[in-house]
Amino acid sequence: MSQIPPPIPPLTPAIRPLDPSADLSAVNTFYDLAQDYWLLADRRPPDLQKARDFFTDGPPGCDPARSHRLGLFVDGVLSGVAELSFGFPEPQDAYLGLMMLAPARRGTGHGAAFLAHVEGLARAAGAPRILLGVLEANPRGRAFWERQGFAATGISRTDAETGHVTHRLVKAL
């Protein structure tokens, strides 16, 4: 009589703040793993400075002390990062400057769960809406954001260095 093997446990996600001292190496490794996005966005692979910048970059006029730099861990492995700031473009707004997942985690529901956590932080801070920018060259990313309830604001800009057009999207909280 053959035995049925036990079911494989589901991948357990956890979200926590990232620390520049303790997590820089993990962010750098994650960026290498998800370099497809950086090759699209920056037209070059990420380096250690790009990982360092994750902990300091933010929209204009935002207080870095109020920002959240988050990691999505699946079975203990950094599988996604997000940066949420407050005060751009309007003082009461939340701005999602970056949210990306490892290629193996895209399309698995982890992105929606990660975003729900980020939105909860924005609501807790009293933000009435959350905004983000999406590259025109990233239609799959834009489709994700639109499925999550984001809509175009009609504001776009062209980056002089990369030539990318970025469209601003918004979601009421």
Side-chain angles (χ1 to χ4, degrees), residues 5-163:
I8 298 171
L11 299 175
T12 306
I15 299 168
R16 70 165 173 81
L18 294 174
D19 175 82
S21 298
D23 296 313
L24 176 61
S25 178
V27 170
N28 190 48
T29 299
F30 170 76
Y31 277 9
D32 283 342
L33 181 65
Q35 71 175 283
D36 62 324
Y37 175 77
W38 297 115
L39 290 169
L40 172 68
D42 294 346
R43 305 193 191 280
R44 63 179 176 269
D47 56 14
L48 183 58
Q49 186 58 49
K50 188 64 148 178
R52 284 186 187 111
D53 291 346
F54 170 75
F55 293 99
T56 58
D57 281 352
C62 292
D63 178 2
R66 288 188 62 211
S67 296
H68 295 277
R69 292 159 201 297
L70 305 168
L72 169 72
F73 291 82
V74 180
D75 285 350
V77 176
L78 182 60
S79 301
V81 297
E83 180 274 317
L84 178 68
S85 294
F86 299 96
F88 180 83
E90 299 296 328
Q92 71 278 9
D93 290 335
Y95 194 86
L96 185 55
L98 176 70
M99 188 179 109
M100 60 189 290
L101 298 180
R105 300 293 175 232
R106 297 174 193 157
T108 63
H110 287 102
F114 200 13
L115 178 61
H117 181 88
V118 169
E119 289 177 356
L121 293 172
R123 280 187 195 93
R129 62 188 189 159
I130 186 169
L131 296 101
L132 58 85
V134 64
L135 297 175
E136 187 170 274
N138 186 4
R140 194 170 164 210
R142 183 170 183 150
F144 168 80
W145 296 119
E146 289 174 345
R147 282 192 309 274
Q148 302 308 310
F150 284 82
T153 63
I155 297 172
S156 301
R157 71 173 184 83
T158 301
D159 183 276
E161 185 178 329
T162 64

